[in-house]
Amino acid sequence: MSFAQDVKKEIANIKVDDQYLKAELYGFLKLKSELVIRKRQLVCEVKTNMLAIVRRISTIIKQLYKLNVEVIEKQRTNLDYRNIYVVTISDKCKEILTDLKIIDEEYNYIDDINEELSPDAVIRGFFLAKGSINDPKSSRYHFEISCNTIYESTYLIKQFNNFGIFSKQAQRRGSFIVYIK
């Protein structure tokens, strides 16, 4: 297991209050979820290769929204042999996403970041979704989060500045990367 996966596993086991769980779920779904229409119903899917993250997302949704999610394990065909887990939220998907302010009542995606939520918990969700960190024992210490939109990366930079952490932004393959060296 890589250092980044170890860190994510540790973060996925942190015990926090419901308000922080909601912010973490928001951050995770904002960066990592795919919205699809299946059988004329909005469905939210999240794909990850870490079982700890699957457990975390499932637990948060069950605790906050009293729903069970569907989890499917898929075999990967490439050489790394790690399985992919697909977490599917089908029941009350629209209600969850509107409650988190990811979409509005007319199913429109909300670009802006929900500023009402705890920034440190949102960043935790962002990191679990699309973050990476090198082992500090290596000669090149590096932390990054890959964002889908400029709104997300601008939010991250602003929050890091509020914490007194200097970060930079770069564009890579259609993503906005916020990184700290």
Side-chain angles (χ1 to χ4, degrees):
M1 191 176 291
S2 73
F3 181 78
Q5 288 175 322
D6 287 340
V7 171
K8 287 181 179 186
K9 187 175 179 182
E10 188 173 326
I11 289 171
N13 290 312
I14 293 174
K15 303 277 188 245
V16 295
D17 294 336
D18 285 359
Q19 65 181 358
Y20 300 111
L21 289 177
K22 184 176 180 179
E24 185 179 317
L25 180 65
Y26 169 84
F28 190 86
L29 292 180
K30 186 81 169 166
L31 290 190
K32 193 78 170 174
S33 65
E34 282 183 35
L35 301 179
V36 295
I37 304 292
R38 191 176 296 143
K39 296 182 184 176
R40 302 179 81 170
Q41 179 183 7
L42 182 67
V43 174
C44 180
E45 290 184 344
V46 175
K47 296 176 185 168
T48 182
N49 62 358
M50 292 192 61
L51 195 54
I53 292 176
V54 170
R55 285 189 199 107
R56 180 71 167 198
I57 298 303
S58 301
T59 302
I60 292 172
I61 291 171
K62 188 171 192 168
Q63 188 170 333
L64 296 179
Y65 298 102
K66 311 297 185 243
L67 294 173
N68 290 320
V69 296
E70 179 184 345
V71 179
I72 298 171
E73 182 179 7
K74 292 184 176 182
Q75 298 279 326
R76 285 175 63 168
T77 56
N78 59 3
L79 296 177
D80 70 4
Y81 299 111
R82 289 184 293 181
N83 292 338
I84 292 288
Y85 302 96
V86 181
V87 179
T88 304
I89 307 165
S90 51
D91 294 338
K92 300 184 180 181
C93 177
K94 180 186 178 195
E95 290 83 354
I96 292 171
L97 296 176
T98 53
D99 179 52
L100 294 172
K101 297 184 180 171
I102 293 175
I103 64 171
D104 64 19
E105 290 295 328
E106 286 78 41
Y107 296 92
N108 297 312
Y109 182 78
I110 300 172
D111 286 324
D112 293 330
I113 302 298
N114 186 349
E115 298 276 347
E116 299 168 3
L117 300 172
S118 168
D120 54 333
V122 171
I123 292 170
R124 188 169 53 245
F126 278 6
F127 178 73
L128 288 173
K130 290 190 169 181
S132 178
I133 188 168
N134 288 358
D135 189 342
K137 294 176 186 170
S138 71
S139 61
R140 304 190 84 188
Y141 186 70
H142 184 81
F143 169 87
E144 74 178 36
I145 297 176
S146 175
C147 300
N148 302 322
T149 69
I150 191 76
Y151 302 102
E152 296 157 356
S153 64
T154 304
Y155 171 82
L156 267 177
I157 291 170
K158 176 182 153 191
Q159 295 309 320
F160 284 143
N161 285 340
N162 290 343
F163 292 130
I165 300 169
F166 180 70
S167 60
K168 294 182 181 180
Q169 178 178 319
Q171 238 183 314
R172 187 185 319 139
R173 290 182 239 121
S175 295
F176 298 89
I177 311 298
V178 176
Y179 65 96
I180 301 166
K181 286 198 174 256

